[in-house]
Amino acid sequence: MTYLSVIIIAYNRIKYLKAAVDSVLNQTLSKENYEIIVVKNFVWDGDEYLLRNNVKVLYSDEQSIGPKIAMAIQNSKGNVILFLDDDDRFLPNKLKHVYDTFDQNKTLGYYRNNFEIIDSEGKVRKSDFFRNSINKINQASSIYIKNDEKIKLISIRKKVLWPILLSASVALPPKCFMHG
């Protein structure tokens, strides 16, 4: 069964975090099929809101993103991982689409998602849709993900992502390597 984990990393930015979380809470996919994990470095008066809505909240003072992603994945239950920046939002059918795509394609390793650029008011500034690509990953394949913000454009199976994190050039805390 497919289960999704949405990871939101928030570093010194509070302004848009609630809107990002709300965009995940207001999905057409049943909440039984996904979880939300927020990794942040601040205490916020909205923390009660997050906890009330069953959002896992993790704290990290790390400045680099690698250890924060590893911490979130280590604490995730999903077999498919999605990333959402704290100042971005998901369209209401995003998780349903990703869920169906992975559920129907058991050998799918990762999926590159479409996106729209919005301004601070939430209005679409420019549409820049990428063609979705389905990449089947097998034991003989290897994946390279450039260290840039394009990681937010992918949904990826945890079993594909772990080897990437394990071979990353960032120093990860030892407990990040333990998963079950």
Side-chain angles (χ1 to χ4, degrees):
M1 182 176 130
T2 301
Y3 188 79
L4 308 177
S5 292
V6 177
I7 295 173
I8 303 172
I9 307 293
Y11 187 77
N12 289 337
R13 290 195 301 195
I14 297 172
K15 184 176 180 179
Y16 304 110
L17 181 58
K18 185 177 182 301
V21 170
D22 284 345
S23 78
V24 183
L25 290 171
N26 296 318
Q27 291 290 305
T28 57
L29 181 68
S30 168
K31 289 178 182 54
E32 297 172 354
N33 296 310
Y34 68 93
E35 67 178 344
I36 305 169
I37 301 170
V38 172
V39 181
K40 60 190 188 72
N41 68 328
F42 51 84
V43 176
W44 172 49
D45 56 358
D47 284 346
E48 179 59 35
Y49 174 78
L50 298 177
L51 298 173
R52 191 172 54 249
N53 283 287
N54 297 316
V55 175
K56 280 186 192 174
V57 179
L58 306 173
Y59 296 92
S60 172
D61 287 328
E62 288 283 342
Q63 288 189 1
S64 68
I65 196 165
K68 291 184 270 195
I69 289 173
M71 176 194 301
I73 292 170
Q74 179 185 6
N75 285 279
S76 70
K77 295 187 286 186
N79 54 4
V80 175
I81 307 294
L82 295 88
F83 301 95
L84 177 63
D85 282 357
D86 57 347
D87 63 343
D88 292 341
R89 290 182 256 167
F90 282 166
L91 293 173
N93 63 342
K94 160 95 175 196
L95 295 185
K96 175 79 169 113
H97 179 75
V98 170
Y99 179 90
D100 289 345
T101 300
F102 277 91
D103 206 49
Q104 295 166 8
N105 299 281
K106 302 297 185 198
T107 60
L108 181 66
Y110 81 94
Y111 183 74
R112 184 163 179 156
N113 304 285
N114 292 330
F115 72 95
E116 293 180 323
I117 298 173
I118 59 174
D119 63 19
S120 61
E121 306 303 316
K123 294 182 179 141
V124 176
R125 269 192 342 187
K126 168 186 158 190
S127 288
D128 190 3
F129 285 98
F130 283 98
R131 184 180 197 164
N132 286 324
S133 60
I134 294 179
N135 297 287
K136 294 185 178 180
I137 307 301
N138 60 40
Q139 299 256 332
S141 298
S142 63
I143 299 175
Y144 174 73
I145 296 178
K146 188 177 175 190
N147 183 18
D148 65 13
E149 63 181 60
K150 298 298 184 231
I151 194 165
K152 68 183 175 185
L153 299 178
I154 64 170
S155 304
I156 188 166
R157 286 199 195 274
K158 188 189 284 188
K159 69 181 181 182
V160 173
L161 187 56
W162 267 113
I164 294 168
L165 286 175
L166 293 174
S167 66
S169 61
V170 296
L172 303 177
K175 70 177 190 172
C176 291
F177 297 109
M178 296 186 285
H179 59 284

